[in-house]
Amino acid sequence: MPEEKNRAVPRSADGSAGDADYGVIGVDYARYRRPEPAFAAAIAAALGDARTLVNIGAGAGSYEPTDLDVTAVEPSAAMRAQRPVGSAAVLAAAAEQMPFPDAAFEAALASFTVHQWRDLRAGLREARRVATGPVVILTCDPAALRFSWLNEYAPEAIAAEAARYPEIADIRSGLGGAVTVTALPIPLACTDGFSEAYYGRPEALLDAGGRLANSAWSFVDRTVGERFERTLGADLDSGAWDARHGHLRTQPSFGGSLRLVVGRP
């Protein structure tokens, strides 16, 4: 596994397990990162008839099924605090060392979290250890991130994101067993505000809060964000962005980097 994607960093006061401090960047996460129904449906289909589920790196609860017996695992206090009333019980623990016996659940879910794990292989081994059935992972393929127009305006942020996401091949090998990888098209009105979700709504990324809900922006100098606002704003005002990318405003979906990885024993 590439060394830069397996960094050992001190845990923040918030308890965040990876290199991003969600005590700082996650304070308004639930507002911007609302689950996209199309992705939730794909996850539900992958989980099949499982009745018990561990949601690893559960965050504020996005994509957490409400019709299953769910136990959530989330190390960040800021993220646990944003979980809605009535959501599943959540434990302050990390993916690499979960406090459950072998085969404790029928399935495991990890959505937008594997890039935060300190040790990908250890986390995948734990997921496989505690789940008797499918391990469902929603992630991004780092090789596809540069397809977005964002790479023209903030290549530093895209490079930072690509360096953090594990290669799909590493997830495959870490899961073992039978593994399928499906590209998920991103809908034009996607409600989950990761950067590519705004492929046809560029104005949304002029909102600093929207960018903050994407951890890659916390790894680049603030001048990158300032330049991004300035250049994108100018191109939107002049029509230059629309001249190059205006077709995206009505394109029903975008084939970006989003992948659903499902491992079965």
Side-chain angles (χ1 to χ4, degrees):
M1 182 168 307
E3 184 177 350
E4 71 271 19
K5 298 186 183 181
N6 201 19
R7 290 178 291 248
V9 293
R11 185 165 293 192
S12 68
D14 167 72
S16 300
D19 51 1
D21 185 353
Y22 281 90
V24 175
I25 70 171
V27 293
D28 218 8
Y29 194 89
R31 173 185 169 194
Y32 292 97
R33 302 299 301 270
R34 292 174 289 121
E36 164 55 44
F39 305 157
I43 289 170
L47 291 172
D49 58 1
R51 294 162 298 176
T52 59
L53 173 75
V54 58
N55 187 10
I56 308 168
S62 288
Y63 304 110
E64 196 168 275
T66 57
D67 58 343
L68 303 182
D69 180 1
V70 177
T71 299
V73 170
E74 172 53 53
S76 165
M79 300 302 279
R80 293 195 304 270
Q82 294 182 67
R83 293 175 61 80
V85 174
S87 59
V90 59
L91 300 178
E96 298 87 341
Q97 192 171 12
M98 292 188 286
F100 309 118
D102 294 354
F105 306 94
E106 294 180 354
L109 171 64
S111 61
F112 286 116
T113 180
V114 291
H115 60 293
Q116 283 294 327
W117 297 359
R118 296 178 181 224
D119 186 330
L120 176 69
R121 286 191 175 272
L124 294 174
R125 281 196 303 269
E126 278 288 271
R128 184 72 283 158
R129 179 184 69 80
V130 302
T132 59
V135 175
V136 179
I137 297 172
L138 184 63
T139 187
C140 291
D141 181 352
L145 282 166
R146 293 180 177 85
F147 298 159
S148 169
W149 59 261
L150 274 162
N151 199 44
E152 298 174 26
Y153 290 88
E156 301 91 340
I158 296 297
E161 192 83 319
R164 297 172 68 239
Y165 272 100
E167 303 290 342
I168 298 298
D170 290 332
I171 299 175
R172 273 186 178 274
S173 63
L175 278 173
V179 180
T180 60
V181 179
T182 304
L184 293 185
I186 302 165
L188 181 59
C190 183
T191 55
D192 192 344
F194 60 104
S195 292
E196 287 176 305
Y198 302 121
Y199 74 87
R201 297 170 289 155
E203 292 83 0
L205 281 173
L206 294 178
D207 176 357
R211 294 198 304 276
L212 192 64
N214 292 269
S215 54
W217 290 91
S218 68
F219 294 101
V220 298
D221 191 85
R222 65 175 177 79
T223 58
V224 174
E226 293 169 352
R227 187 197 69 217
F228 175 80
E229 287 189 9
R230 184 172 63 252
T231 56
L232 177 59
D235 280 1
L236 288 171
D237 288 343
S238 71
W241 187 92
D242 282 274
R244 295 194 301 275
H245 307 293
H247 64 283
L248 295 174
R249 291 191 183 277
T250 55
Q251 184 171 298
S253 64
F254 176 64
S257 68
L258 200 62
R259 303 290 183 266
L260 190 69
V261 183
V262 182
R264 294 181 173 85

